[in-house]
Amino acid sequence: MTDRREIPDTPLFDRDVNRQGYALNKFAMSLGRPDNRAAYKADEDAYLARFGLGPATTAAVKARDYAEMVRLGGNLFFILKISAVDPTPITAIGAAQVGMDHDRFLKERLGK
Amino acid sequence: MPQQWMRDHKPDIAVVIFNDHGNSFFLDRVPTFAVGVADSYKPVDEGWGPRAIPDFDGAADLGWHFADRLVERHFDPLICREIEVDHGLQVPMELFCGRPAERWPVKVLPIWVNTIQFPIPTPQRCWDMGVMLREAIESFPGDDRVVIMGTGGLSHQLQGRRAGFLNPAADRDWLATIGPDPDRWRGMNREDYVETFGSEGAELMMWLVMRGAMNREVRTLHTHYHVPASMTGAGCVVMENA
């Protein structure tokens, strides 16, 4: 997008990211259904293959690399559904975004 | 305090302004504003299975009346007849009603605001929708009593290298002034919200729908702030028209 003021270190979910991350977010959205969660858990590769993610995105999902998923157009509200299948605290996902150790993130960013 | 206020005033309908968090709407269709006209709303499965709470009875007649008034006044929402609701509606309802075993004490009129995908609406547009909401409530036949819940987290950011951003000073400023001095918040632009409250903290502008529906002068009865709830500034203000 062009006519918007950039805010440092703050990605906004706009048309470019929508295009880039659509398949990833669609896969993640599908995990809102129990039958899909079961199919995903049963055979991750086969399930991911349905969504045409491309190699980089597939690798990021399989590695549970949430920072990379966001970089590739994932939106946290959708990809959080992956963390429901494979439990990961949202604060750990936050720490990964920053590239910070989880404990340090809790202390420095959240004051915990 | 919020639950005591509900017990004392016994409203019939709760209008809940909130954003879906990628649960009821996907990116295939993104309504800027959506109005519920269903008789009933089930809690949606957000990935862990639907939460064990009762379905919400819908204030369908008020929903349709509101949709009529909006479109007459050149304000064009998506109108939803069958849709589930996520924690954006559930959590404020629990804050105000507790968690009932069988039935919620009020019917709900859900209003969804897109705060996820740009273009999100402007703060001024949220305010304008509140003005329309007031007109609809005042012109709705009958003597139903209505509570309006403007929702949305205070400061938080979940994505990018600024993830974990919190701004307690701005949150406290918001809570102290949304009643007496809402114009300064209404005059800010979307980037101001993102910068001040974080990329997901821009949700806060949804409070302006509620505030725009109220009198110029309000009495603030209760203010509470806690930070962080998970990664989010959490606050509650109870106001009545003065």
Side-chain angles (χ1 to χ4, degrees):
Chain A
M1 286 188 66
T2 51
D3 55 349
R4 209 180 55 214
R5 174 157 56 91
E6 291 297 322
I7 296 154
D9 298 330
T10 302
L12 297 182
F13 198 80
D14 61 16
R15 64 196 69 173
D16 296 331
V17 193
N18 176 313
R19 283 194 189 113
Q20 187 192 14
Y22 196 80
L24 170 58
N25 290 312
K26 192 166 180 175
F27 146 69
M29 183 75 179
S30 76
L31 299 178
R33 292 172 46 124
D35 50 342
N36 289 339
R37 291 196 288 273
Y40 179 52
K41 283 190 215 173
D43 188 341
E44 181 169 24
D45 288 325
Y47 191 82
L48 289 174
R50 295 188 205 171
F51 293 89
L53 299 182
T57 302
T58 301
V61 171
K62 291 187 71 170
R64 306 291 185 262
D65 185 341
Y66 288 94
E68 181 69 357
M69 285 188 246
V70 168
R71 197 184 68 77
L72 293 169
N75 179 280
L76 206 78
F77 290 124
F78 298 106
I79 64 177
L80 269 178
K81 292 175 179 53
I82 303 169
S83 78
V85 172
D86 187 3
T88 310
I90 191 170
T91 48
I93 296 174
Q97 305 287 313
V98 184
M100 210 184 250
D101 169 76
H102 190 201
D103 286 340
R104 196 175 142 219
F105 177 79
L106 290 177
K107 194 160 171 244
E108 291 187 11
R109 296 277 164 112
L110 302 179
K112 287 183 177 173
Chain B
M1 167 67 199
Q3 294 187 22
Q4 188 60 49
W5 188 92
M6 292 290 278
R7 284 193 290 272
D8 292 345
H9 293 81
K10 298 183 177 56
D12 303 289
I13 296 171
V15 178
V16 187
I17 303 108
F18 70 109
N19 68 291
D20 179 66
H21 303 76
N23 294 304
S24 300
F25 293 111
F26 182 57
L27 302 170
D28 56 342
R29 294 155 213 203
V30 180
T32 303
F33 291 101
V35 174
V37 297
D39 294 322
S40 175
Y41 302 91
K42 289 187 180 303
V44 69
D45 186 339
E46 302 190 22
W48 290 267
R51 293 173 66 233
I53 54 174
D55 294 355
F56 298 89
D57 292 335
D61 290 338
L62 179 60
W64 279 116
H65 178 75
F66 181 42
D68 282 340
R69 301 305 294 243
L70 282 172
V71 176
E72 279 166 18
R73 298 291 301 271
H74 312 135
F75 208 130
D76 313 302
L78 179 71
I79 298 168
C80 300
R81 178 70 180 80
E82 190 172 354
I83 188 167
E84 297 169 324
V85 291
D86 80 357
H87 69 271
L89 179 140
Q90 296 169 19
V91 170
M93 283 291 287
E94 285 183 44
L95 182 64
F96 273 75
C97 306
R99 187 185 287 198
E102 291 178 8
R103 207 154 179 190
W104 298 92
V106 288
K107 293 182 175 181
V108 299
L109 164 49
I111 301 174
W112 290 263
V113 181
N114 164 40
T115 58
I116 293 183
Q117 175 173 284
F118 277 72
I120 63 175
T122 61
Q124 177 64 42
R125 191 65 170 160
C126 291
W127 178 278
D128 292 343
M129 185 160 216
V131 173
M132 297 287 109
L133 176 61
R134 181 190 185 123
E135 281 188 24
I137 292 169
E138 290 186 332
S139 60
F140 185 59
D143 51 9
D144 287 314
R145 293 164 60 82
V146 179
V147 58
I148 304 173
M149 301 179 186
T151 80
L154 285 92
S155 61
H156 63 303
Q157 177 159 333
L158 307 179
Q159 315 186 63
R161 292 189 64 81
R162 201 174 69 142
F165 171 78
L166 293 165
N167 193 345
D171 289 346
R172 290 196 170 89
D173 189 18
W174 172 277
L175 295 171
T177 58
I178 188 65
D181 187 19
D183 282 343
R184 44 190 291 234
W185 302 114
R186 170 188 171 188
M188 282 166 60
N189 65 30
R190 292 168 288 186
E191 288 88 344
D192 295 335
Y193 272 78
V194 171
E195 189 160 49
T196 306
F197 297 105
S199 50
E200 282 70 37
E203 290 174 0
L204 199 47
M205 69 171 68
M206 294 188 294
W207 289 42
L208 296 176
V209 180
M210 167 275 296
R211 188 63 189 87
M214 294 187 73
N215 285 0
R216 206 62 226 171
E217 302 295 326
V218 295
R219 285 187 302 276
T220 300
L221 306 176
H222 167 79
T223 304
H224 177 74
Y225 182 60
H226 172 77
V227 66
S230 181
M231 289 172 66
T232 305
C236 178
V237 178
V238 179
M239 291 181 283
E240 291 177 353
N241 284 330

